Amino acid sequence: MIKKIPLIGIIDDDTIYQFILTSIINKNKLAENILSFFDGEKAIQYFVNNKMNSEKIPDILFLDVNMPIMDGWMFIEEYARIKKEMIKKTAIFMLSSSVNPIDIERAGKISEISAYIIKPIKLEEVKRIFDNHEIFS
């Protein structure tokens, strides 16, 4: 049995994909709460504003690569700058429809990224992440 995770974050400009991922998480009762952001800039501002409040920092974050305003790569750069000040570490899973080996290799070299996942994410993969989230944190 998978233990419910207190707080999940989803950063993706695709409302349909956000709906699907949220539905998977809710239907399988994997999380207590879900935060949704449509670009990295609003998400990074949320992290900055709440960096000392562990209850408001997501345990797991699903981060899209391609978004307007601040994309996933830019978000990771900003997150890397502020993570030392944060009271809690977040396991970040980068999501993309890109199968470009350059993107996959780039993500693999960034310590803040727990894994690079190719969209669409499957239920089994979501359950594996939640089941093993402490390994990624």
Side-chain angles (χ1 to χ4, degrees):
M1 178 164 178
I2 298 172
K3 182 181 166 191
K4 258 186 174 180
I5 304 297
L7 186 60
I8 302 302
I10 301 171
I11 307 173
D12 197 318
D13 64 322
D14 184 339
T15 55
I16 295 170
Y17 198 77
Q18 277 218 19
F19 175 78
I20 291 168
L21 187 53
T22 299
S23 296
I24 288 172
I25 293 167
N26 285 335
K27 184 176 179 181
N28 291 283
K29 300 178 178 161
L30 299 173
E32 298 287 337
N33 294 296
I34 301 173
L35 292 171
S36 293
F37 302 95
F38 293 98
D39 70 74
E41 187 175 78
K42 287 193 174 83
I44 204 71
Q45 192 58 53
Y46 175 87
F47 273 77
V48 168
N49 291 341
N50 295 289
K51 62 187 175 190
M52 298 306 289
N53 187 343
S54 65
E55 292 180 6
K56 293 196 171 196
I57 299 296
D59 302 274
I60 295 173
L61 182 66
F62 293 99
L63 173 65
D64 186 26
V65 173
N66 297 311
M67 296 179 287
I69 303 173
M70 179 185 276
D71 67 17
W73 300 116
M74 294 164 69
F75 175 87
I76 285 294
E77 285 178 24
E78 290 299 317
Y79 179 83
R81 287 189 191 116
I82 66 166
K83 79 173 190 179
K84 288 177 261 171
E85 303 166 18
M86 298 187 57
I87 198 163
K88 180 178 174 184
K89 186 176 178 205
T90 299
I92 300 174
F93 296 87
M94 191 163 248
L95 302 174
S96 179
S97 56
S98 170
V99 294
N100 186 335
I102 294 171
D103 287 340
I104 296 167
E105 185 179 330
R106 181 179 178 188
K109 291 179 179 175
I110 300 172
S111 64
E112 287 78 15
I113 299 173
S114 299
Y116 183 93
I117 299 168
I118 297 173
K119 288 180 173 179
I121 191 168
K122 295 172 182 61
L123 173 60
E124 296 76 30
E125 198 153 18
V126 173
K127 285 184 174 179
R128 184 183 63 79
I129 289 168
F130 279 75
D131 206 22
N132 298 297
H133 115 276
E134 291 166 354
I135 295 170
F136 298 113
S137 298

